Amino acid sequence: VLGRGRTEWALVSLGARAELGLSWTSERDMVLATLDSLSPRPSEVPSSESLDLGTLVEVCATDLGVAETSPTTTRVLVVFGRSDAVPTLSRPFKSLDCFLDALYVHRRQTEGNNKCQEVYTFLTSLESRRPGLAASYFFETSSSLPRLHQHCALLLAHPLIREPQDEMAKKLDWKPQTPPTNRSPAIHPNLLPDPANLLPPVARADV
Protein backbone atom coordinates (compact mmCIF):
# COMPACT_ATOMS: atom_id res chain seq x y z
CA VAL A 1 0.00 0.00 0.00
CA LEU A 2 1.41 3.39 -0.99
CA GLY A 3 0.14 6.82 -0.07
CA ARG A 4 1.30 10.30 -1.02
CA GLY A 5 0.21 13.86 -0.46
CA ARG A 6 -3.28 14.25 0.94
CA THR A 7 -5.43 12.11 -1.32
CA GLU A 8 -3.57 9.64 -3.56
CA TRP A 9 -3.06 5.92 -3.03
CA ALA A 10 -1.58 3.02 -4.99
CA LEU A 11 -1.60 -0.76 -4.42
CA VAL A 12 1.03 -3.38 -5.21
CA SER A 13 0.34 -7.09 -4.68
CA LEU A 14 3.02 -9.55 -3.55
CA GLY A 15 2.71 -12.90 -5.36
CA ALA A 16 5.65 -14.71 -6.89
CA ARG A 17 6.91 -11.16 -7.38
CA ALA A 18 5.55 -7.67 -6.79
CA GLU A 19 2.92 -6.57 -9.31
CA LEU A 20 1.17 -3.23 -9.69
CA GLY A 21 -2.47 -3.62 -8.70
CA LEU A 22 -3.62 -0.01 -8.82
CA SER A 23 -1.73 3.10 -9.86
CA TRP A 24 -2.03 6.45 -8.11
CA THR A 25 -5.65 7.46 -7.60
CA SER A 26 -7.68 9.65 -5.27
CA GLU A 27 -10.85 7.55 -5.78
CA ARG A 28 -11.47 5.94 -2.41
CA ASP A 29 -14.08 3.51 -3.76
CA MET A 30 -11.63 2.27 -6.36
CA VAL A 31 -8.99 1.64 -3.70
CA LEU A 32 -11.46 -0.26 -1.51
CA ALA A 33 -12.75 -2.32 -4.45
CA THR A 34 -9.19 -3.28 -5.41
CA LEU A 35 -8.40 -4.29 -1.82
CA ASP A 36 -11.58 -6.40 -1.68
CA SER A 37 -10.54 -8.19 -4.88
CA LEU A 38 -7.23 -9.34 -3.40
CA SER A 39 -6.98 -12.84 -1.97
CA PRO A 40 -4.22 -15.30 -1.01
CA ARG A 41 -2.98 -17.46 -3.86
CA PRO A 42 -1.36 -20.48 -2.16
CA SER A 43 -1.69 -22.65 -5.28
CA GLU A 44 0.34 -20.12 -7.29
CA VAL A 45 2.82 -19.15 -4.59
CA PRO A 46 3.84 -21.89 -2.11
CA SER A 47 4.21 -20.58 1.44
CA SER A 48 7.78 -21.91 1.51
CA GLU A 49 8.78 -19.84 -1.53
CA SER A 50 10.83 -16.76 -0.70
CA LEU A 51 9.90 -13.37 -2.16
CA ASP A 52 12.42 -10.89 -3.48
CA LEU A 53 11.19 -7.56 -2.09
CA GLY A 54 13.56 -5.92 -4.55
CA THR A 55 10.76 -6.43 -7.10
CA LEU A 56 8.58 -4.18 -4.91
CA VAL A 57 11.27 -1.50 -5.00
CA GLU A 58 11.40 -1.89 -8.79
CA VAL A 59 7.63 -1.45 -9.18
CA CYS A 60 7.63 1.58 -6.90
CA ALA A 61 10.47 3.20 -8.83
CA THR A 62 9.51 2.25 -12.39
CA ASP A 63 5.70 2.23 -12.36
CA LEU A 64 4.92 4.69 -9.56
CA GLY A 65 7.82 7.14 -9.79
CA VAL A 66 8.67 6.89 -6.10
CA ALA A 67 12.40 7.14 -6.86
CA GLU A 68 11.92 10.66 -8.15
CA THR A 69 12.36 13.51 -5.69
CA SER A 70 8.96 15.02 -4.96
CA PRO A 71 7.67 17.84 -2.72
CA THR A 72 4.89 15.52 -1.50
CA THR A 73 5.34 12.94 1.25
CA THR A 74 5.23 9.33 0.03
CA ARG A 75 4.88 6.34 2.33
CA VAL A 76 5.23 2.64 1.49
CA LEU A 77 3.38 0.32 3.88
CA VAL A 78 4.42 -3.32 3.46
CA VAL A 79 1.70 -5.70 4.70
CA PHE A 80 3.39 -9.10 4.82
CA GLY A 81 1.79 -12.44 5.68
CA ARG A 82 4.23 -15.26 4.93
CA SER A 83 5.54 -17.34 7.82
CA ASP A 84 7.58 -20.10 6.18
CA ALA A 85 10.22 -18.27 4.16
CA VAL A 86 12.44 -15.26 4.81
CA PRO A 87 12.28 -12.65 2.00
CA THR A 88 15.31 -11.47 0.08
CA LEU A 89 16.23 -8.02 -1.19
CA SER A 90 18.04 -7.47 -4.49
CA ARG A 91 17.46 -3.70 -4.55
CA PRO A 92 17.54 -1.53 -1.38
CA PHE A 93 14.58 0.52 -0.23
CA LYS A 94 16.89 3.43 0.52
CA SER A 95 16.98 4.09 -3.24
CA LEU A 96 13.34 5.24 -2.97
CA ASP A 97 12.26 8.73 -1.89
CA CYS A 98 9.74 7.56 0.69
CA PHE A 99 9.00 6.49 4.25
CA LEU A 100 8.80 2.75 4.86
CA ASP A 101 6.51 1.06 7.41
CA ALA A 102 5.69 -2.63 7.79
CA LEU A 103 2.87 -4.69 9.29
CA TYR A 104 3.63 -8.40 9.65
CA VAL A 105 0.63 -10.71 10.20
CA HIS A 106 1.87 -14.25 10.78
CA ARG A 107 0.96 -17.64 12.17
CA ARG A 108 1.66 -18.51 15.77
CA GLN A 109 5.24 -19.50 16.52
CA THR A 110 4.00 -22.91 17.68
CA GLU A 111 2.20 -23.67 14.40
CA GLY A 112 4.53 -25.79 12.34
CA ASN A 113 8.15 -25.14 11.51
CA ASN A 114 7.74 -21.47 10.61
CA LYS A 115 10.27 -18.65 10.52
CA CYS A 116 8.23 -15.77 11.96
CA GLN A 117 11.06 -14.32 14.02
CA GLU A 118 13.51 -14.46 11.11
CA VAL A 119 11.00 -12.79 8.79
CA TYR A 120 10.28 -10.00 11.28
CA THR A 121 14.00 -9.43 11.86
CA PHE A 122 14.46 -9.12 8.10
CA LEU A 123 11.60 -6.63 7.76
CA THR A 124 12.97 -4.39 10.51
CA SER A 125 16.38 -4.46 8.81
CA LEU A 126 14.86 -2.63 5.82
CA GLU A 127 14.70 0.62 7.76
CA SER A 128 16.90 3.40 6.46
CA ARG A 129 17.12 6.21 8.99
CA ARG A 130 17.60 9.61 7.38
CA PRO A 131 18.86 12.62 9.35
CA GLY A 132 16.02 14.82 10.58
CA LEU A 133 13.28 12.38 9.63
CA ALA A 134 11.26 10.04 11.86
CA ALA A 135 12.10 6.36 11.90
CA SER A 136 9.94 3.65 10.39
CA TYR A 137 7.12 1.89 12.23
CA PHE A 138 7.21 -1.93 12.37
CA PHE A 139 4.41 -4.04 13.86
CA GLU A 140 3.67 -7.74 14.09
CA THR A 141 0.74 -9.84 15.31
CA SER A 142 -0.69 -13.30 14.86
CA SER A 143 -4.29 -14.00 15.90
CA SER A 144 -5.07 -10.92 18.01
CA LEU A 145 -7.64 -8.82 16.17
CA PRO A 146 -7.62 -6.03 18.83
CA ARG A 147 -3.83 -5.78 18.51
CA LEU A 148 -4.17 -5.60 14.73
CA HIS A 149 -6.67 -2.76 15.09
CA GLN A 150 -4.30 -0.94 17.43
CA HIS A 151 -1.40 -1.30 15.00
CA CYS A 152 -3.52 0.06 12.14
CA ALA A 153 -4.58 3.02 14.29
CA LEU A 154 -0.93 3.88 15.00
CA LEU A 155 -0.11 3.71 11.30
CA LEU A 156 -2.60 6.52 10.63
CA ALA A 157 -0.16 9.06 12.03
CA HIS A 158 1.66 11.21 9.48
CA PRO A 159 5.31 10.05 9.21
CA LEU A 160 6.69 13.60 9.26
CA ILE A 161 5.24 14.55 12.64
CA ARG A 162 4.62 11.30 14.48
CA GLU A 163 6.69 10.33 17.49
CA PRO A 164 9.21 7.46 17.44
CA GLN A 165 7.54 4.08 17.80
CA ASP A 166 9.03 3.40 21.24
CA GLU A 167 7.75 6.73 22.58
CA MET A 168 4.28 6.11 21.21
CA ALA A 169 4.25 2.63 22.75
CA LYS A 170 5.01 4.09 26.18
CA LYS A 171 1.96 6.35 25.93
CA LEU A 172 -0.23 3.30 25.22
CA ASP A 173 1.15 1.26 28.13
CA TRP A 174 -2.14 1.46 30.06
CA LYS A 175 -3.49 -1.06 32.60
CA PRO A 176 -7.20 -1.96 32.86
CA GLN A 177 -8.92 -1.32 36.19
CA THR A 178 -9.11 -4.97 37.27
CA PRO A 179 -7.75 -6.87 40.27
CA PRO A 180 -4.17 -8.06 39.73
CA THR A 181 -3.79 -11.66 38.56
CA ASN A 182 -0.98 -13.90 37.43
CA ARG A 183 -2.13 -13.55 33.85
CA SER A 184 -2.01 -10.42 31.77
CA PRO A 185 -5.58 -9.38 30.87
CA ALA A 186 -6.53 -9.43 27.24
CA ILE A 187 -7.02 -6.11 25.51
CA HIS A 188 -10.71 -5.45 25.12
CA PRO A 189 -11.62 -3.84 21.75
CA ASN A 190 -13.61 -1.10 23.50
CA LEU A 191 -10.53 -0.08 25.49
CA LEU A 192 -8.33 0.50 22.48
CA PRO A 193 -7.31 4.15 21.94
CA ASP A 194 -9.44 6.25 19.65
CA PRO A 195 -7.40 6.62 16.40
CA ALA A 196 -8.38 10.29 16.25
CA ASN A 197 -6.63 10.90 19.56
CA LEU A 198 -3.37 9.47 18.21
CA LEU A 199 -3.02 12.17 15.57
CA PRO A 200 -2.02 15.77 16.14
CA PRO A 201 -4.57 18.15 14.53
CA VAL A 202 -2.19 18.99 11.68
CA ALA A 203 -1.75 15.35 10.72
CA ARG A 204 -5.45 14.57 10.36
CA ALA A 205 -5.74 16.59 7.19
CA ASP A 206 -2.66 14.95 5.67
CA VAL A 207 -3.59 11.30 6.15
Side-chain angles (χ1 to χ4, degrees):
V1 182
L2 291 87
R4 70 178 182 185
R6 295 173 179 269
T7 57
E8 291 190 304
W9 297 85
L11 298 173
V12 179
S13 62
L14 302 177
R17 57 171 286 119
E19 299 178 353
L20 181 64
L22 179 67
S23 190
W24 293 116
T25 179
S26 58
E27 295 293 334
R28 185 186 65 174
D29 291 343
M30 185 178 297
V31 174
L32 294 177
T34 304
L35 283 172
D36 288 340
S37 69
L38 298 178
S39 61
R41 295 175 290 179
S43 60
E44 299 179 26
V45 186
S47 61
S48 59
E49 181 177 327
S50 181
L51 169 68
D52 178 13
L53 284 179
T55 61
L56 173 59
V57 179
E58 179 182 348
V59 171
C60 291
T62 305
D63 298 331
L64 298 174
V66 178
E68 301 174 3
T69 302
S70 171
T72 62
T73 301
T74 302
R75 173 166 49 167
V76 176
L77 170 59
V78 178
V79 181
F80 201 76
R82 302 185 191 185
S83 302
D84 297 331
V86 181
T88 59
L89 188 67
S90 61
R91 182 173 177 177
F93 274 90
K94 64 182 179 181
S95 63
L96 301 178
D97 182 26
C98 68
F99 290 90
L100 173 67
D101 295 329
L103 174 60
Y104 182 35
V105 184
H106 55 83
R107 297 202 304 268
R108 293 178 181 271
Q109 286 276 22
T110 55
E111 294 181 15
N113 185 27
N114 59 56
K115 301 179 179 179
C116 299
Q117 183 58 56
E118 292 90 335
V119 173
Y120 186 66
T121 298
F122 173 84
L123 292 175
T124 57
S125 72
L126 300 178
E127 180 181 28
S128 178
R129 293 176 182 266
R130 289 176 287 175
L133 296 183
S136 302
Y137 271 22
F138 295 98
F139 297 108
E140 62 82 26
T141 187
S142 55
S143 58
S144 174
L145 187 58
R147 184 180 293 272
L148 178 61
H149 290 166
Q150 187 179 49
H151 293 340
C152 291
L154 290 171
L155 287 167
L156 291 174
H158 195 288
L160 280 176
I161 58 177
R162 67 189 181 190
E163 296 182 80
Q165 184 173 342
D166 290 344
E167 294 298 320
M168 183 65 79
K170 291 178 181 177
K171 291 186 176 183
L172 297 179
D173 187 20
W174 54 271
K175 292 178 174 58
Q177 298 300 313
T178 55
T181 63
N182 293 328
R183 294 184 59 189
S184 299
I187 298 178
H188 191 283
N190 293 335
L191 296 178
L192 290 174
D194 184 349
N197 293 332
L198 298 176
L199 302 178
V202 177
R204 294 177 190 171
D206 292 337
V207 175

